[in-house]
Amino acid sequence: MIIIVVMKKYFNLILALYFAIFIQHSAIALDLRFPQRNPYTTRANVTYILGCVNKGSELTINGEKVEVRKNGAFCYIVNLIGGENKFVLNETNGEFTDSKTVVINKLVPQPVQNQSPAKKYVPPQKEVFSELQYSTVVTDGAPVRNKPSTNGDRISHLPIDTVLLLEAKLGDWYKICTGNSENLWIYAKNVNVSYPVNNRIKVSVREAITCQDELFEFLKLKTDIPVLFKTKEIGNNIELTLYGIKDYSLLENVLNCRKDFEQILVKSYENDNLTLEFPSSEKLWGYNADYKDGYFIFKKRKSPVVSSSLPLKNVVIAVDAGHGGKELGTIGPTRIPEKDVNLAISKYLKCELEKRGAVVIMTREEDNFVGLYERPDIANASNAIISVSIHSNSMVDGNPFIKHGTSVFYYNAHAKNLAETIKVSLVNDLGLKDDGTRYGNFVLTRPTMPVSVLVEVAYMPNLDEYELLTDENFQRKVAASVAKSLEKYMKENAKLTDY
């Protein structure tokens, strides 16, 4: 009986070792990360095959020996010809072998032969309404654009119940009546059209208040109904336009005896559209315009006062670790997901900032899913002055050995200098290639408050940068460089004190 038990234990141990070895070989053998589909179709002239083999294995593609890194990663650049491109991958490691075939189809224009002429595309025609259409916004934060396309610039974001008058329709877009030649459009699903009206609806300013607290200056206006508005940055100044204002005399009275706002000027009043200017000689630190509790509220952040010796002391900074949970982000050649790299760097950044006295708000501190629109809400609710979102870059097609490096994205003009400061620091401190300070229309860069940027530290498909991104020492250096750049930014732009 004892012999049978011992034999069973040995058998189970041998079986476990066998499966461990089998899984080790089969789990990562010729694991392809890009292309993610096989066959893969592209219009590019150059693309790449990215993945990993077992450590110590040799790899050939179409008989050509391919460099395999110590961690098993490889990246093979291919120049495509029109039609089908077939690549046979062979891995060998002692007696172990594995093989895969990758097919990449390059699309080429096909000559037209003996075919009936293609029907000419007829763009949708603009329908101009005989009467203006009364409508209300039904989607919170609905974007108003300067042309009827998602490629149009976002002019403003309107809250639910904002009243709009529509004068025309083009496809799925409505043109908003502004009383002038301005082109403002809103997507049809974001509004509820109620009934026709003969004329523009014009409202009066029934109450006007200026006030302030420790962090912000406020202008509060009560109007008959919520009306269309837009904001525009001009250097450190902000322009605010309210549409369809027939009487703003109460506001004029408040502006004439204003004490609680740095400066507010009436820049223009034409066709019942009122434009106010908020001039400033100081750096712009963020602003917001919205309707709340029956008031239109314009809020502008005051210039922060910081210590000249500890410029981050008590400064609230939001750190966003991109992706998380079910949202993996880019997957590296050895299966490490971007979400893990972003979180590691973000945690080190939190430590670096706290060492410098900052108050750090993390959008996530573990591997959990946080909604894309929740992240800027977390930063804004904490009254963060700065928001930094940490990411690791990807690429579709092209050559990762040529296209790589660090880049930082901004959307609002007042965030461009912060983006440049961070990028320069990362390039200089870490020896990374300068991949640019870039305009990026992203959820995480669009907020006008806090000052928001998105950092693409380096490229996951580039083997050298992938090894760095997954290295703990490098992650710490990234965090230290970003923290140093934020210190520099605050010292150069905030008000300094000796405390």
Side-chain angles (χ1 to χ4, degrees), residues 273-287:
N273 298 328
L274 174 65
T275 298
L276 302 176
E277 183 178 21
F278 302 83
S280 177
S281 58
E282 298 177 344
K283 162 76 181 172
L284 184 58
W285 288 93
Y287 58 94

Side-chain angles (χ1 to χ4, degrees), residues 239-302:
E239 285 186 2
L240 166 67
T241 300
L242 295 161
Y243 294 83
I245 303 294
K246 69 177 180 181
D247 181 8
Y248 67 97
S249 55
L250 282 175
L251 173 59
E252 281 189 302
N253 295 337
V254 170
L255 298 185
N256 290 334
C257 61
R258 167 198 47 77
K259 296 179 181 178
D260 297 317
F261 213 106
E262 181 186 6
Q263 194 173 11
I264 307 174
L265 304 175
V266 175
K267 184 170 184 179
S268 66
Y269 181 63
E270 298 175 354
N271 300 318
D272 298 310
N273 298 328
L274 174 65
T275 298
L276 302 176
E277 183 178 21
F278 302 83
S280 177
S281 58
E282 298 177 344
K283 162 76 181 172
L284 184 58
W285 288 93
Y287 58 94
N288 189 40
D290 203 354
Y291 285 95
K292 185 176 182 181
D293 300 330
Y295 285 87
F296 172 81
I297 302 176
F298 178 82
K299 179 169 72 171
K300 180 185 176 187
R301 183 184 288 280
K302 296 178 181 179

Side-chain angles (χ1 to χ4, degrees), residues 136 138 166 169 171-174 186-193:
T136 53
V138 295
L166 309 175
K169 187 176 184 182
D172 293 327
W173 295 83
Y174 285 114
I186 191 165
Y187 190 58
K189 290 185 178 180
N190 290 332
V191 293
N192 178 43
V193 181

Side-chain angles (χ1 to χ4, degrees), residues 78-105:
V78 296
N79 295 298
L80 301 175
I81 59 173
E84 182 180 271
N85 297 259
K86 186 178 291 186
F87 303 93
V88 179
L89 288 71
N90 286 307
E91 175 190 359
T92 57
N93 191 343
E95 295 182 359
F96 173 79
T97 62
D98 194 12
S99 179
K100 278 191 173 78
T101 299
V102 176
V103 176
I104 302 177
N105 296 310

